[in-house]
Amino acid sequence: MFPKSTQAQFWMFENEGDLNILRSKTNVAYIESHKNEAPAGAGDGHFLTEQDEADVVFYFSVKMGEFCDKFKPPMPSYVKGTSSHYFKRFYLHNSVMNYHPKEILVTAVYLACKVEEFNVSMQQFIANVQGNQERATKIILNNELLLMQELQFHLTVHNPFRAVTQCTLWTASGLR
């Protein structure tokens, strides 16, 4: 099943270098398309570097973990894993200078909840978001299709959490 999955075909890379090349192309493409917007004499310091972008993505990945850990009702590990995949995949082809990570973060978590069948209503989900909840609802709904498109509609994530959870349940109940 996994070897023929979209995850194996489109989201597995030979090594870290391949990912860095992709991230570099994304950064350069953004800078090239927006260099005329930089103030005169700003030079290279106007835009984030590849490392800056990687640091921002890492920071918000940590924030995503914190958000998921505090989520009520408690979020299963496989939903957390899927949301992390979505978030990181999105920023392989998109710049943090173009899409704010905070907005993509909540959208990725909400989409993962739906895909992994962790049934929470929009109201339940938004109750976990700090700040203007009406604005957060609009952000999620406006970015959901964008996120799916940028993931090329490859929404199935094969992560180990579901199998480990199932094995634990079987062991606890005495089933084999």
Side-chain angles (χ1 to χ4, degrees):
M1 182 183 233
F2 176 76
K4 294 184 187 237
S5 70
T6 57
Q7 181 176 349
Q9 292 176 14
F10 300 103
W11 298 105
M12 298 295 291
F13 299 92
E14 291 292 321
N15 55 48
E16 186 78 19
D18 291 348
L19 290 171
N20 291 334
I21 289 169
L22 195 52
R23 290 181 186 120
S24 177
K25 287 180 182 179
T26 299
N27 180 268
V28 169
Y30 179 86
I31 292 171
E32 286 298 314
S33 66
H34 291 84
K35 66 182 173 187
N36 60 342
E37 298 169 15
D44 293 338
H46 181 72
F47 297 104
L48 296 176
T49 65
E50 297 165 35
Q51 186 58 51
D52 292 338
E53 285 203 73
D55 292 344
V56 170
V57 170
F58 177 78
Y59 173 81
F60 279 98
S61 295
V62 171
K63 290 298 178 188
M64 175 185 278
E66 293 171 2
F67 174 75
C68 291
D69 288 341
K70 293 178 184 175
F71 198 86
K72 299 291 184 230
M75 187 178 291
S77 297
Y78 56 87
V79 177
K80 295 176 193 177
T82 298
S83 62
S84 180
H85 274 264
Y86 290 170
F87 183 75
K88 290 178 181 179
R89 287 178 184 181
F90 181 86
Y91 284 111
L92 284 177
H93 298 285
N94 294 282
S95 172
V96 297
M97 295 180 278
N98 209 23
Y99 298 103
H100 196 295
K102 192 173 184 180
E103 295 180 1
I104 300 304
L105 181 155
V106 292
T107 306
V109 175
Y110 182 70
L111 181 60
C113 288
K114 291 169 71 172
V115 170
E116 294 290 353
E117 297 178 356
F118 177 58
N119 296 318
V120 292
S121 67
M122 177 61 87
Q123 289 74 26
Q124 285 177 299
F125 186 87
I126 291 301
N128 289 280
V129 176
Q130 296 177 348
N132 185 333
Q133 295 182 343
E134 184 177 323
R135 182 173 179 269
T137 301
K138 288 179 183 176
I139 286 170
I140 291 168
L141 295 177
N142 287 337
N143 286 320
E144 188 175 20
L145 181 59
L146 168 71
L147 178 59
M148 288 190 289
Q149 288 172 330
E150 293 300 317
L151 297 174
Q152 302 167 2
F153 297 93
H154 301 154
L155 303 179
T156 301
V157 174
H158 298 270
N159 61 53
F161 300 111
R162 187 179 295 271
V164 169
T165 302
Q166 192 65 42
C167 184
T168 304
L169 291 174
W170 286 341
T171 302
S173 66
L175 296 176
R176 295 175 195 218

